[in-house]
Amino acid sequence: MVEPKIDYMVGDTRLWVLVMPDANAEIYTADGKLQWAARFSPLHLVSVVTQTAASVGGAPYFGTWGSTTFVFSTSIARPLVAFRSASPIGFYLVSQSGGNWRYQVWTRSNATADVTAYIFSDDPPPAVSGGLEMFNTSGVRTFSLACRPARIVGRADSGAPFSGDSSRRYAVLKPSAYAQRVAIDQGGGNFTIQDRMGIATINDGAGSVTMGFAQYTNYSAPDPVDFRTETRGDLKALILDVTNY
């Protein structure tokens, strides 16, 4: 039995669709790599939001920095948010209640830099008129040509930066609640509290992303009894190609 196959051109990429007898169609690239399967709904872009940070002055270790708050109200069950900026940025999820999400983003070096958020979802994608769609066996749409899939192209951490293509544009998805508070013994019974945050640097000219720390000296005190180190999240990050998104 010859399995039916449908050829499609998406931009400059040739895809072919294998239609399985159980209706679980699959999409492959010309070199045989699986791109999509009807049995699951991969992440796809649903929204792009750009905001400009406002300067909040200087601080020890941070230098000149700015801040902006992204607030999303959405019916997406599991939104995935990636950020990019020409300035080094740090960000974390401030709060989430129902469909309301609030992210705080800091910009370093360029206090008034633009910051863009890319919101992805694995909810059913939008319908498309006159184009290819795929459904699972329950009749739920899992693919359409209206999709812009999340292009996860690598990862970066403090010891292994991501190196890509300078003609592409990259965004960072990292654990959104990363922060660390640590007590530094200055001697003589004096301790300094430092707040640290994971910072992503996206270098468009080199097509690279590096992860690192920024430190802010919060306050000093002579009594270390209540001092402790608190860490949330991790410094690793996923890198997404958001060129033309």
Side-chain angles (χ1 to χ4, degrees):
M1 175 180 175
V2 177
E3 295 170 326
K5 185 173 70 173
I6 305 170
D7 286 322
Y8 266 89
M9 290 298 295
V10 179
D12 58 358
T13 302
R14 188 177 188 85
L15 304 175
W16 56 272
V17 183
L18 179 64
V19 183
M20 307 295 288
D22 61 359
N24 281 325
E26 297 175 343
I27 296 180
Y28 291 81
T29 61
D31 59 358
K33 294 181 179 178
L34 179 65
Q35 295 294 292
W36 221 288
R39 59 187 177 274
F40 64 89
S41 182
L43 292 162
H44 55 275
L45 183 73
V46 295
S47 184
V48 178
V49 181
T50 298
Q51 296 179 182
T52 301
S55 176
V56 292
Y61 296 97
F62 272 115
T64 301
W65 58 299
S67 178
T68 185
T69 302
F70 287 82
V71 179
F72 308 112
S73 294
T74 178
S75 60
I76 299 171
R78 293 172 297 276
L80 178 153
V81 185
F83 291 94
R84 77 173 307 277
S85 177
S87 172
I89 53 173
F91 54 90
Y92 76 102
L93 178 63
V94 177
S95 62
Q96 184 267 321
S97 177
N100 298 312
W101 300 73
R102 184 183 184 92
Y103 282 86
Q104 189 76 27
V105 181
W106 284 270
T107 60
R108 187 182 181 190
S109 302
N110 182 359
T112 57
D114 286 344
V115 180
T116 301
Y118 300 85
I119 306 171
F120 296 87
S121 170
D122 64 354
D123 287 352
V128 62
S129 177
L132 177 68
E133 295 181 324
M134 296 172 64
F135 298 82
N136 62 21
T137 53
S138 299
V140 177
R141 183 184 300 105
T142 57
F143 173 82
S144 80
L145 287 182
C147 284
R148 288 187 171 188
R151 300 181 295 220
I152 299 174
V153 293
R155 75 173 196 177
D157 58 45
S158 55
F162 169 81
S163 180
D165 184 337
S166 61
S167 68
R168 311 297 293 180
R169 297 295 172 259
Y170 300 104
V172 174
L173 186 164
K174 71 180 182 65
S176 57
Y178 186 85
Q180 184 183 59
R181 174 163 288 187
V182 60
I184 308 298
D185 189 347
Q186 304 288 3
N190 292 310
F191 286 75
T192 298
I193 298 299
Q194 288 186 348
D195 290 322
R196 298 174 177 175
M197 128 178 18
I199 294 287
T201 301
I202 301 170
N203 186 335
D204 282 341
S208 63
V209 180
T210 57
M211 299 296 296
F213 283 108
Q215 298 181 155
Y216 171 55
T217 302
N218 194 12
Y219 58 84
S220 296
D223 184 0
V225 173
D226 295 326
F227 292 170
R228 63 188 185 278
T229 297
E230 297 180 353
T231 303
R232 299 290 182 268
D234 199 349
L235 200 56
K236 292 180 174 61
L238 289 178
I239 309 303
L240 283 77
D241 185 332
V242 293
T243 308
N244 299 325
Y245 279 11

